[in-house]
Amino acid sequence: MDDLAQYHELAFYTLSLRDKEFIHQHIVDAYGAQNANDKTKPIALFFSLAGLYLLVERNYTGRQVQKAHQTMASKTKIFITLNLPEDRGQVSVKNVLDEPAGTKRNMKIMEWCRSVWSTYADQHRKIIEATDKLLF
């Protein structure tokens, strides 16, 4: 199964949880940042990384990240340009799916998010400043 098919399988899983925290948002952001390329729109990459920042550094739930995305989108249509690191993290969507459904898989999702966020370390300041300017 290719990476995109695995992502769709994971998305089906997270959406079926119907959890109030909305963990699904975190997989959208992790996958988006991990798989971005030169054709990815700046808004998509920025929102993915802003979502990972809000999760990892500020402990936002997926629902809170979703609302933050809406707030940021309502304030600007111009987003910062970010460089893509060669390494995008040691954890992949496949590693998440390898875990049994439930607590272990959900914990692996969080590990995946932290892994992807860490690969953009040289741009954290830029991402944090842009996100905070739009939200706070």
Side-chain angles (χ1 to χ4, degrees):
M1 187 178 338
D2 72 6
D3 198 51
L4 184 58
Q6 290 173 336
Y7 170 72
H8 287 146
E9 182 179 334
L10 183 59
F12 179 80
Y13 164 76
T14 56
L15 287 170
S16 72
L17 294 174
R18 300 183 189 271
D19 58 318
K20 69 177 184 160
E21 293 84 14
F22 197 55
I23 197 171
H24 176 73
Q25 183 64 54
H26 302 318
I27 74 149
V28 170
D29 293 336
Y31 188 83
Q34 192 169 55
N35 292 281
N37 59 41
D38 60 342
K39 292 181 172 48
T40 302
K41 293 181 180 183
I43 186 176
L45 180 57
F46 173 72
F47 273 25
S48 291
L49 290 167
L52 293 176
Y53 153 61
L54 293 169
L55 166 67
V56 174
E57 306 290 338
R58 291 192 168 257
N59 247 3
Y60 273 41
T61 66
R63 187 73 59 209
Q64 290 170 312
V65 169
Q66 186 181 48
K67 288 179 182 174
H69 285 169
Q70 293 167 345
T71 299
M72 291 187 294
S74 73
K75 291 188 176 181
T76 188
K77 301 296 180 224
I78 300 169
F79 296 92
I80 60 174
T81 302
L82 297 159
N83 298 319
L84 299 172
E86 197 167 313
D87 171 34
R88 303 291 178 82
Q90 300 305 310
V91 182
S92 69
V93 67
K94 179 191 180 317
N95 301 131
V96 174
L97 284 173
D98 285 345
E99 295 295 332
T103 303
K104 286 189 177 188
R105 183 174 291 172
N106 295 355
M107 288 173 57
K108 196 68 166 186
I109 288 169
M110 295 303 132
E111 182 183 337
W112 181 31
C113 291
R114 287 188 301 273
S115 175
V116 174
W117 172 243
S118 72
T119 67
Y120 285 86
D122 66 333
Q123 296 177 87
H124 281 179
R125 182 183 195 125
K126 186 176 182 181
I127 297 160
I128 291 167
E129 286 175 359
T131 303
D132 288 356
K133 182 178 179 183
L134 291 168
L135 292 178
F136 309 110

